[in-house]
Amino acid sequence: MPSRSRTRREPRAATIGRAVHVNVLLLANRSLDRLEEICKAHGVTHAQYVALWTLCLADDPAAGIPVSAVADGLLNRASDTTRLIDRLERAGLAERLRNPKDRRGVLVRATEAGRQRFAAVTPELQAFHATQWSHLSPDEVDDLNRLLATALWGPAPPPSTDPP
């Protein structure tokens, strides 16, 4: 009868790496499900909320921003920004404007209804995030954020020596 070996089938780092990957995916999926529920209760999808977030928090929200800037603000690279803006426009939450600096370009801005919808959803999403991380200390949340950013983008640049 073959003896059971105490050696692992794979290195511990591979096992831990896979466990972290699975946990990140589970957390992302569960979070997105809840974000969609919150947004749906307000008549928008999460993608539409993120587009409104980009529009409402732009440097000059009244002037509008290029469609490409809306696309850059979205979290899902697979999204179709033009159709997303079409849906926001049909819902009366955004509008397209001529770009006064480029006749070929179009700017997008949130309408008053879009700004109100953004303002209505935001506190609920913030409350969700507060609850989501409530079992972690503020330092642990900072550590988690730093670690995830490092995993996404690589090591952070050294701290600035400029005065605050």
Side-chain angles (χ1 to χ4, degrees):
M1 175 173 222
S3 65
R4 287 192 161 167
S5 172
R6 290 194 170 254
T7 60
R8 292 182 177 267
R9 292 183 183 180
E10 65 182 355
R12 179 169 165 28
T15 302
I16 296 297
R18 184 177 46 260
V20 169
H21 178 81
V22 168
N23 284 330
V24 167
L25 289 177
L26 287 171
L27 177 62
N29 288 336
R30 289 178 185 170
S31 296
L32 284 173
D33 288 347
R34 183 65 185 123
L35 294 172
E36 283 292 352
E37 288 174 15
I38 293 167
C39 290
K40 184 178 179 181
H42 291 274
V44 293
T45 65
H46 183 249
Q48 290 172 325
Y49 172 80
V50 174
L52 287 172
W53 179 59
T54 304
L55 295 170
C56 291
L57 298 179
D59 289 339
D60 186 358
I65 60 175
V67 172
S68 61
V70 176
D72 290 345
L74 297 176
L75 302 175
N76 182 355
R77 292 184 300 142
S79 67
D80 183 343
T81 307
T82 300
R83 284 195 283 240
L84 178 64
I85 293 169
D86 288 345
R87 288 189 300 273
L88 286 171
E89 200 169 29
R90 280 194 303 273
L93 302 175
E95 61 186 345
R96 288 179 168 94
L97 313 162
R98 288 183 167 267
N99 186 339
K101 296 178 183 174
D102 179 0
R103 293 185 320 157
R104 297 166 295 165
V106 175
L107 300 175
V108 183
R109 72 177 172 197
T111 62
E112 179 60 30
R115 290 187 297 276
Q116 289 175 1
R117 186 79 50 94
F118 172 75
V121 178
T122 299
E124 287 189 48
L125 291 181
Q126 290 170 339
F128 165 67
H129 292 308
T131 302
Q132 182 180 30
W133 309 120
S134 64
H135 58 282
L136 299 175
S137 72
D139 287 343
E140 289 171 326
V141 173
D142 287 343
D143 289 344
L144 177 61
N145 185 50
R146 181 184 48 76
L147 291 169
L148 290 171
T150 300
L152 282 168
W153 313 110
S160 172
T161 57
D162 296 336

